[in-house]
Amino acid sequence: MSRIAPETLAAHGGSGVTEPYRDIVQPIHLATTFERAEDGSYPGGRVYSRDQSPAYDCSEKLLAELEGGAQALLFASGMAAATAVLQALKPGDRILAPRSTYWAWRNWLRDFTTQWGIELALYANSDLADLERQLNAAPTQLLWIETPANPTWEITDIAAAAALAKAAGAKVVVDSTVATPVFTRPIELGADIVLHSATKYLNGHSDVVAGALITRATDDFWLRIRKARNLGGAVLGPFEAWLLQRGLRTLFLRVRTAAANAEKVALFLAGHPAVVEVLYPGLPGNPGYAVAAQQMQGGFGAMLSVRIAGGESGSRAVAGKLKLFRQATSLGAVESLVEHRASVEGAGTLVPDDLLRLSIGIESAEDLIADWQQALA
């Protein structure tokens, strides 16, 4: 069995049975510290659980395998993972980030780069010419890609962008939270580091906040990230790590089902007279469709946004009439969610005020469509 399918790897949770009881499910490792031998060494290979808890081993191993990377690290949240990458930069470095991106990350990035003396430049997500101009404008140490980009789901060509970044001497980080390794493996397309808000699809049950980074190589930049996690203490608790491993076992089933549902919902909404626009890379008329079809193998993800006739009041009224779609923040779990993004993001948002963000779950697609039919009636 030299090549085991990723579905099989995920189903086994990155682990085998454990001794002495031959547990099929991994035990929860709660210990915070580990005993030395008589000579002062650590026979168990562990010193302190802040950065060395056995609770992380299976999920980190599995994520590295699923993404085709050399090593993975779990974090206390997706934001903790993202900020650790920035903490590995040095004052005077330059980062190039997309204009359309998760709003909390965008706001934090602007504050952090100013305080740490890091230059921040922005590029249009899907515009490779703009990206190349920005890379050539000044020496750049890090290119940040988010694709599909929240909440407009713009697509960035990872392979083309990574080639431009490499030519400019920049490392490439890809936030692949929405695509997941089910549909996209950014390292194979040239990325150096892959980021996931593991709160979302990797866990998939709305009961864990977590983050993950996977690296192509354990180089000096990666070691600085490891140090930021270790000394900063942004680590996951043992029970959360155990729940994450449980969620990863059904990753492929959940994500494929949700994506198939999303395509059906998007097609229905695209033909409804009360809908102004559907933003979903899986629709053939979407500007990112061709690139998404190439780099997202087997599906286009389960996130879409819809703009409703009647502006903000019209969109919020529709959201309030939905029965199966719960009005709640977050995405990527088994239940479907809807959210009026502009009001959530508040002042400074770039999101149109008629836009609703949808996270499609694993319910019956017919039931989800019927829910929209009655809400739009």
Side-chain angles (χ1 to χ4, degrees):
M1 300 180 67
S2 58
R3 285 188 60 84
I4 297 177
E7 297 92 332
T8 305
L9 290 171
H12 284 263
S15 67
V17 296
T18 58
E19 300 293 350
Y21 303 113
R22 307 295 291 170
D23 311 54
I24 296 298
V25 176
Q26 288 289 303
I28 302 176
H29 294 277
L30 297 175
T32 60
T33 191
F34 305 90
E35 187 181 35
R36 289 183 175 91
E38 187 176 342
D39 63 359
S41 64
Y42 286 92
R46 314 286 170 144
V47 177
Y48 190 60
S49 70
R50 185 176 61 224
D51 195 40
Q52 298 178 341
S53 174
Y56 312 145
D57 290 358
C58 292
S59 294
E60 289 183 343
K61 175 177 178 289
L62 175 59
L63 288 172
E65 290 176 327
L66 291 179
E67 290 287 5
Q71 197 172 83
L73 292 174
L74 295 184
F75 288 81
S77 67
M79 284 293 291
T83 57
V85 175
L86 267 290
Q87 288 168 355
L89 293 176
K90 302 173 182 177
D93 283 350
R94 183 175 188 257
I95 176 174
L96 188 53
R99 290 194 178 93
S100 180
T101 187
Y102 173 49
W103 71 285
W105 170 241
R106 181 180 66 241
N107 293 343
W108 184 90
L109 189 60
R110 285 174 173 166
D111 290 343
F112 177 85
T113 52
T114 300
Q115 293 168 6
W116 278 52
I118 294 171
E119 182 182 349
L120 172 63
L122 303 177
Y123 69 95
N125 297 54
S126 57
D127 189 340
L128 291 174
D130 183 43
L131 172 60
E132 187 172 19
R133 282 193 298 272
Q134 296 284 2
L135 284 168
N136 292 334
T140 302
Q141 282 67 44
L142 189 68
L143 169 64
W144 194 277
I145 297 172
E146 182 181 318
T147 184
N150 187 359
T152 51
W153 317 117
E154 292 169 88
I155 299 296
T156 301
D157 186 329
I158 297 172
L164 292 172
K166 297 300 181 186
K171 283 194 171 293
V172 179
V173 177
V174 175
D175 182 340
S176 196
T177 295
V178 172
T180 81
V182 176
F183 296 136
T184 305
R185 287 160 60 95
I187 289 174
E188 292 181 353
L189 299 173
D192 295 294
I193 294 173
V194 180
L195 174 132
H196 290 281
S197 173
T199 309
K200 313 305 193 295
Y201 290 100
L202 297 189
N203 177 62
H205 291 80
S206 297
D207 54 12
V208 169
V209 174
L213 295 174
I214 303 94
T215 185
R216 170 191 295 275
T218 54
D219 55 13
D220 179 66
F221 190 74
W222 180 251
L223 294 179
R224 295 204 298 272
I225 292 173
R226 284 200 67 112
K227 185 176 181 180
R229 185 183 79 157
N230 181 14
L231 299 182
V235 293
L236 205 56
F239 183 57
E240 289 76 14
W242 185 87
L243 286 173
L244 175 60
Q245 186 191 13
R246 177 221 56 184
L248 283 166
R249 289 176 181 268
T250 58
L251 175 67
F252 283 79
L253 290 172
R254 289 185 289 99
V255 170
R256 285 172 175 163
T257 300
N261 282 350
E263 185 173 357
K264 293 175 183 177
V265 172
L267 286 169
F268 165 76
L269 291 172
H272 199 285
V275 173
V276 175
E277 184 180 16
V278 176
L279 304 175
Y280 180 63
L283 293 176
N286 185 280
Y289 177 80
V291 174
Q294 186 175 18
Q295 74 183 21
M296 299 182 76
Q297 300 295 311
F300 296 91
M303 295 301 301
L304 60 106
S305 292
V306 57
R307 300 182 66 182
I308 304 295
E312 179 177 356
S313 61
S315 62
R316 297 187 76 163
V318 168
K321 292 176 183 176
L322 289 164
K323 306 300 183 185
L324 294 179
F325 282 78
R326 306 298 177 87
Q327 288 201 72
T329 294
S330 199
L331 56 95
V334 293
E335 68 279 346
S336 293
L337 303 178
V338 61
E339 189 170 58
H340 183 259
R341 283 304 300 172
S343 59
V344 171
E345 296 185 14
T349 182
L350 304 178
V351 178
D353 63 8
D354 60 356
L355 182 143
L356 297 177
R357 187 184 75 177
L358 312 184
S359 173
I360 307 298
I362 64 172
E363 306 96 334
S364 159
E366 289 70 26
D367 287 342
L368 297 178
I369 290 171
D371 195 20
W372 274 95
Q373 285 176 321
Q374 65 83 22
L376 290 168

